Amino acid sequence: MKTKNYSGSIKRKLAKIILSVTSLVFFISYFVFVIIYVKHEDRRTQKLTETIGVVISQDLAKLIFLNNVSVAADITTKLQSFKMLKSAVVYKNNGSAIYQYSKNGKSFTPDGKCKKQGYKIVGETLISSTTIHYSGNNFGCIRMKLQHMTFFNIFKKYLLPLVLFYLFIVLLSSVLASFYAKKFTNPILKLINFLEGVELDAFLDRRIEITEDDEFGKLYEEINIMLESLQNSLKEKEEADKKVEYLREYDSLTGLPNKDLFIKSLQKQIDYKTLKEWHIMLCVDIDKFKVLNDLYGHEIGDTVLQLLARSLQKEFRDVTLIAKIGIDEFLICYRNVSDDKEYAIQKVEDMLNRLNGIVSNSFYVHGEELNIAIHVGANVYSKNLTSASEILQQTDGALQNAKKEEKKFSFYSKEIEKKAQENLDIYNDLLVAVKENQFELFYQLQNRDDGSYFGAEALIRWNHPTLGFLAPFKFIPIVESSNLIFDVGTWVLENACKQLSLWQENSKTKDWVLAVNVSTRQFAQDDFLDIVQRCIKKYDIPHNKLKIEILESLLSNDFETMVQKIQKLRELDIQISIDDFGTGYSSLQYLKYLPVNQIKIDQSFIFGMLENEADKIIVQSIINLGKAFKFDVIAEGVETKEHFEKLKEYGCHYFQGYYFARPEPIEKIEKVVAQL
Ligand code: C2E
Ligand code: MG
Ligand code: MG
């Protein structure tokens, strides 16, 4: 706020006040002084007439009774000593004037008579009549005219000192004003400075220091109290605003973002950066929540919502956004899932399974055991869809569909829904497969350049009860996207170790190395090293006979931790091979830090190397890299003699492919071994 400029000065005002008060007092006093002075003069003059009467009474007696005219000169001489006496006339008792005196010595005609006693003032003259006594006899009367000081005479007489004194008073007033003004202005300036500071910095927690024990001190105290209450009310307002702001964006019951904030946040993310092609949004609705509310009451209903919200947050810690958008509706948004649509669909299934896991457990609220069911609308959307509201609308459409058709879940796209349903069926079958041990390991033998075998790769197969043997691509992605990978992965490791221990008993296979595929999630698991060691120990096999195949892409997750894990495995003398080399990591920089034994050229390059110059160069380069970094290089997907010859020509010494052997069940491998 702009402040007005104040021109007034307390000093000037105070000077004016002091001056006017002192002037007033001064003039009134002067008037009173003059009046008293006049009165005093009157009395003095009267006294003087009496004195004159007394002084000249003897001479007058001589003059009147003895008719001694010579005393007249004495009387005149005596009267001349009274400077104020203008004239005097002496009357006998019979009223005749026998003597007159005039200050200027001129004779005059007496005017008026001599009254016995009294006086009157006429202008500047006091006329006094005094009886003359001598030796107890009254023998005449003297009428005198004396110089009388009038009010104006006296006023005029002291005017110059008065003016000088007045000027002195003015000077003194201004000195006093500036002295006393400071007593007022200093505390006021202190207050102004303080308030300006508060205004500039907006620090309401500032307080003015109170050193004055007067009204200013009280004023400061009141200002401090006012600031404190202002600060408190501002704090309360701020808190209330925050609460309003919070409630505008969050659900007060669960603390989750509401629909508005969800759309805003999602839109921000879409606009900021979209890294992957496919994204997921799930809309979860509690089935018949109204019935639950009516049956058990709102308090229990609210607690169920809170528990569900907490479970969702715990279970889906890895997802981008969770929100509550209706009374019993939740949103789960998982951004940048994958560039692979198939993988994104599998991820949805994994999420649906995790949701099922949450609701399959009962909620215990105030001693009540409650079970809820949910409907889920699922949406796997591409990055081309850039409107958060539209994505939400589609997902909500899917949810409405699930509710209408009384299904557990429904996808926005029917084609995806069909695929997801198939995968979900596979997932359900896989649950049984793990329990009933429907898996089997096939082995694909690996060769040296002289055709001799030095080991094999263990490749999983699922012996499905109705569909027969299923290749890994049909189920491994589903296993990998769910927690089943940990059980299945351990099963593979254990069975591979078991097979290795059997090979140990045969001199032909004693030196064979068995390669096992380990998925990224499985490798990243905290207890992976323990599991490997446990399996090795259980079957008592030499550590260096087990080879773990990891994908090159694993290194892009958390390079340092992964390298440390590889290092530890190497310290245990376990072999490490990088599978599908050439397809995953963009920089070759990392190779120098990798303590691996083997790299496995991806089969796509082998398939292409005979016709495609680029593939050929890649294959040659990988072989040369291996030589330079002292890794073994194995070629995978060696299907023909031509492949084999060319690879040998390029300097490759190890091979795996249909040209030598297909993945086979152990019985067939045993037959091959028997013929060696
Ligand atoms: P991979 O580890 O790269 O395995 C090599 C795949 O190439 C195997 O397919 C094998 O049968 C196939 N193959 C080998 N030589 C040739 C050839 O000359 N021509 C052609 N066309 N194919 C050849 P498979 O057994 O279907 O396995 C596919 C993938 O499944 C594996 O690729 C591996 O990534 C995964 N997998 C297999 N078993 C396991 C397992 O126990 N655990 C995990 N996590 N993944 C596994
Ligand atoms: Mg492999
Ligand atoms: Mg491979």
Side-chain angles (χ1 to χ4, degrees):
M1 195 179 72
K2 219 172 171 247
T3 53
K4 191 181 152 192
N5 284 333
Y6 290 93
S7 55
S9 135
I10 288 200
K11 184 177 156 186
R12 206 180 313 144
K13 282 179 189 157
L14 210 60
K16 272 185 202 166
I17 292 168
I18 293 178
L19 195 63
S20 32
V21 169
T22 41
S23 304
L24 198 67
V25 170
F26 181 79
F27 284 111
I28 290 172
S29 313
Y30 189 64
F31 269 97
V32 171
F33 163 76
V34 174
I35 289 165
I36 293 170
Y37 197 99
V38 169
K39 292 268 178 229
H40 173 75
E41 276 299 296
D42 281 358
R43 269 199 305 281
R44 202 167 67 92
T45 316
Q46 279 169 45
K47 273 243 163 87
L48 191 68
T49 56
E50 284 164 18
T51 312
I52 293 171
V54 171
V55 168
I56 61 171
S57 59
Q58 194 182 0
D59 292 333
L60 279 176
K62 282 182 193 167
L63 183 69
I64 293 168
F65 294 120
L66 303 176
N67 220 0
N68 187 355
V69 182
S70 63
V71 296
D74 294 342
I75 295 170
T76 302
T77 309
K78 281 180 182 169
L79 287 180
Q80 272 171 343
S81 66
F82 296 103
K83 299 275 181 266
M84 288 175 72
L85 186 66
K86 283 195 208 169
S87 65
V89 181
V90 178
Y91 294 91
K92 290 205 278 193
N93 279 341
N94 63 5
S96 59
I98 63 151
Y99 172 82
Q100 71 168 217
Y101 165 80
S102 151
K103 196 176 182 178
N104 52 15
K106 285 181 186 163
S107 91
F108 61 92
T109 316
D111 54 344
K113 295 200 164 137
C114 185
K115 286 184 190 142
K116 296 265 179 228
Q117 198 77 24
Y119 71 93
K120 68 173 179 183
I121 293 163
V122 179
E124 292 183 4
T125 309
L126 185 135
I127 305 167
S128 143
S129 301
T130 311
T131 49
I132 308 159
H133 299 270
Y134 190 72
S135 302
N137 297 316
N138 172 6
F139 54 87
C141 170
I142 180 165
R143 190 169 191 260
M144 285 174 280
K145 284 188 182 175
L146 289 108
Q147 177 66 42
H148 175 252
M149 295 291 274
T150 62
F151 182 90
F152 187 62
N153 290 142
I154 297 167
F155 189 82
K156 236 171 45 186
K157 186 176 172 189
Y158 295 105
L159 197 58
L160 184 64
L162 176 80
V163 169
L164 290 175
F165 188 60
Y166 183 70
L167 286 176
F168 170 71
I169 292 280
V170 169
L171 198 70
L172 192 69
S173 303
S174 111
V175 172
L176 282 178
S178 83
F179 176 73
Y180 285 111
K182 276 187 188 151
K183 298 240 173 224
F184 292 94
T185 50
N186 283 353
I188 291 172
L189 285 174
K190 176 178 163 184
L191 183 62
I192 290 170
N193 280 341
F194 169 74
L195 290 176
E196 275 177 353
V198 170
E199 184 190 290
L200 279 179
D201 309 338
F203 284 145
L204 289 179
D205 53 351
R206 276 194 184 187
R207 297 291 174 267
I208 188 164
E209 192 191 351
I210 306 173
T211 46
E212 295 75 2
D213 188 21
D214 53 15
E215 286 80 354
F216 282 110
K218 184 73 188 148
L219 177 67
Y220 296 166
E221 193 185 344
E222 289 299 324
I223 283 172
N224 283 346
I225 292 171
M226 191 190 77
L227 281 174
E228 183 143 8
S229 75
L230 193 65
Q231 193 186 10
N232 286 344
S233 52
L234 272 180
K235 228 185 251 169
E236 279 166 23
K237 190 179 169 302
E238 230 168 68
E239 272 162 24
D241 285 352
K242 261 189 207 159
K243 206 166 181 182
V244 169
E245 192 60 31
Y246 178 81
L247 290 177
R248 225 199 313 256
E249 298 195 317
Y250 291 88
D251 174 61
S252 59
L253 190 66
T254 58
L256 288 175
N258 65 16
K259 187 175 173 180
D260 286 350
L261 180 60
F262 176 82
I263 291 181
K264 230 193 300 173
S265 312
L266 179 59
Q267 194 61 57
K268 218 188 257 173
Q269 291 193 9
I270 293 171
D271 297 342
Y272 174 63
K273 217 174 199 179
T274 298
L275 301 167
K276 298 266 166 74
E277 179 70 39
W278 296 100
H279 315 269
I280 295 169
M281 189 187 283
L282 301 184
C283 191
V284 182
D285 176 89
I286 301 178
D287 189 26
K288 300 188 184 71
F289 182 69
K290 195 180 168 318
V291 178
L292 184 140
N293 250 346
D294 292 344
L295 266 178
Y296 296 98
H298 284 268
E299 207 184 317
I300 287 189
D302 285 353
T303 314
V304 168
L305 289 172
Q306 284 169 330
L307 290 174
L308 181 60
R310 219 174 300 154
S311 305
L312 291 178
Q313 280 175 308
K314 202 168 144 206
E315 184 62 51
F316 295 102
R317 226 172 273 157
D318 49 339
V319 308
T320 319
L321 288 167
I322 298 179
K324 180 165 174 282
I325 60 162
I327 297 170
D328 60 344
E329 261 180 51
F330 295 86
L331 277 178
I332 303 168
C333 187
Y334 188 177
R335 300 264 312 145
N336 297 311
V337 178
S338 173
D339 285 326
D340 178 6
K341 191 175 180 184
E342 192 71 21
Y343 179 80
I345 297 169
Q346 281 156 16
K347 192 73 206 169
V348 174
E349 287 145 22
D350 170 48
M351 291 168 84
L352 290 173
N353 289 329
R354 283 150 80 181
L355 277 172
N356 269 335
I358 291 174
V359 295
S360 62
N361 294 322
S362 304
F363 289 98
Y364 292 92
V365 186
H366 302 315
E368 298 279 358
E369 183 183 349
L370 299 168
N371 288 300
I372 58 166
I374 52 171
H375 295 293
V376 183
N379 193 0
V380 175
Y381 62 94
S382 95
K383 68 175 174 193
N384 297 333
L385 198 57
T386 53
S387 156
S389 313
E390 202 180 333
I391 299 164
L392 180 58
Q393 213 177 339
Q394 287 185 354
T395 318
D396 193 52
L399 174 69
Q400 298 317 319
N401 199 42
K403 282 167 141 182
K404 199 170 74 193
E405 293 178 12
E406 291 185 0
K407 291 195 296 193
K408 270 194 174 168
F409 71 89
S410 173
F411 271 77
Y412 173 68
S413 149
K414 285 294 150 203
E415 163 239 339
I416 293 177
E417 182 164 335
K418 188 165 165 267
K419 178 88 200 138
Q421 188 59 61
E422 277 171 19
N423 288 348
L424 203 68
D425 292 344
I426 293 177
Y427 177 80
N428 288 328
D429 289 353
L430 274 169
L431 289 176
V432 181
V434 171
K435 250 190 215 158
E436 296 184 358
N437 199 9
Q438 294 171 359
F439 301 109
E440 208 173 293
L441 282 184
F442 276 32
Y443 300 85
Q444 186 175 23
L445 295 170
Q446 296 173 327
N447 303 73
R448 298 190 185 89
D449 40 13
D450 61 1
S452 61
Y453 301 120
F454 66 92
E457 178 176 8
L459 295 158
I460 194 169
R461 298 291 179 266
W462 178 11
N463 195 356
H464 193 277
T466 53
L467 303 170
F469 276 106
L470 294 180
F473 80 91
K474 290 256 188 200
F475 64 95
I476 280 290
I478 300 171
V479 170
E480 281 180 342
S481 68
S482 70
N483 288 345
L484 288 175
I485 187 63
F486 305 120
D487 289 338
V488 174
T490 308
W491 180 91
V492 172
L493 264 173
E494 201 165 330
N495 281 276
C497 289
K498 193 172 165 188
Q499 188 54 52
L500 270 172
S501 75
L502 293 172
W503 282 346
Q504 285 295 299
E505 290 161 15
N506 186 336
S507 61
K508 292 180 193 168
T509 55
K510 202 172 175 351
D511 294 328
W512 280 15
V513 174
L514 183 55
V516 176
N517 293 287
V518 170
S519 87
T520 300
R521 274 182 74 203
Q522 188 188 352
F523 189 84
Q525 207 185 349
D526 288 342
D527 58 354
F528 177 71
L529 278 177
D530 299 337
I531 294 170
V532 174
Q533 278 179 284
R534 208 180 56 219
C535 291
I536 290 177
K537 203 169 170 199
K538 186 171 171 188
Y539 294 100
D540 191 25
I541 50 156
H543 289 55
N544 65 349
K545 298 290 174 279
L546 179 67
K547 186 187 288 174
I548 284 173
E549 286 194 9
I550 51 171
L551 287 175
E552 197 187 2
S553 55
L554 176 139
L555 298 163
S556 60
N557 285 346
D558 178 358
F559 186 75
E560 263 174 46
T561 323
M562 295 305 146
V563 169
Q564 274 171 17
K565 227 168 198 178
I566 293 170
Q567 187 75 51
K568 277 188 190 148
L569 285 163
R570 290 295 300 117
E571 281 161 16
L572 292 170
D573 212 16
I574 293 163
Q575 299 202 40
I576 304 284
S577 173
I578 302 183
D579 208 352
D580 303 347
F581 189 83
T583 58
Y585 211 65
S586 51
S587 161
L588 293 177
Q589 272 279 356
Y590 72 98
L591 275 180
K592 59 182 173 207
Y593 304 109
L594 271 191
V596 300
N597 307 78
Q598 185 184 66
I599 46 182
K600 206 169 185 183
I601 310 172
D602 189 67
Q603 45 187 271
S604 60
F605 302 119
I606 310 296
F607 296 157
M609 70 176 190
L610 297 178
E611 290 91 35
N612 187 317
E613 190 63 16
D615 284 344
K616 181 183 127 186
I617 292 169
I618 291 171
V619 171
Q620 287 174 327
S621 307
I622 296 175
I623 294 167
N624 289 332
L625 269 177
K627 275 186 199 148
F629 286 97
K630 312 239 178 315
F631 303 136
D632 287 343
V633 177
I634 182 166
E636 180 179 62
V638 183
E639 288 193 340
T640 61
K641 189 171 187 309
E642 248 183 310
H643 284 150
F644 177 53
E645 296 298 340
K646 266 279 173 257
L647 283 163
K648 271 203 295 187
E649 196 183 302
Y650 298 153
C652 185
H653 304 300
Y654 304 100
F655 311 88
Q656 179 181 342
Y658 294 172
Y659 178 64
F660 300 101
R662 287 184 174 254
E664 305 281 6
I666 193 63
E667 299 79 29
K668 285 225 171 144
I669 302 292
E670 277 165 1
K671 277 184 193 159
V672 175
V673 172
Q675 286 165 14
L676 289 176

